[in-house]
Amino acid sequence: AQLVGVLSAGGGSLLRVATSSRAESFLYVKISDDAAPGRRMPPLSAALPQCEIDAIGDWIDSSARNN
């Protein structure tokens, strides 16, 4: 599935991944502490380790390159 630059189905006006903006990326919002209670991903399990959340945020902020 396309991630970068594609409107998210459940995130209102947020893109799935907005290049260079973790704050405007539905993926990052869903895995970060900014997610509404009960809506943080992954569901039914522990949150991702902070180092992984940071790595995803850094990837987004660096233009979400395919690397």
Side-chain angles (χ1 to χ4, degrees):
Q2 293 273 332
L3 288 178
V4 179
V6 176
L7 193 61
S8 65
S13 63
L14 292 177
L15 297 176
R16 291 177 182 170
V17 173
T19 58
S20 302
S21 180
R22 67 178 75 192
E24 296 176 20
S25 298
F26 188 63
L27 170 66
Y28 187 80
V29 169
K30 291 296 285 184
I31 63 170
S32 71
D33 288 332
D34 296 335
R39 301 197 187 269
R40 186 173 183 170
M41 297 295 286
L44 306 174
S45 63
L48 294 173
Q50 189 60 50
C51 63
E52 291 183 19
I53 294 171
D54 292 343
I56 292 168
D58 291 345
W59 170 73
I60 292 169
D61 289 344
S62 70
S63 298
R65 294 184 196 109
N66 187 16
N67 56 3

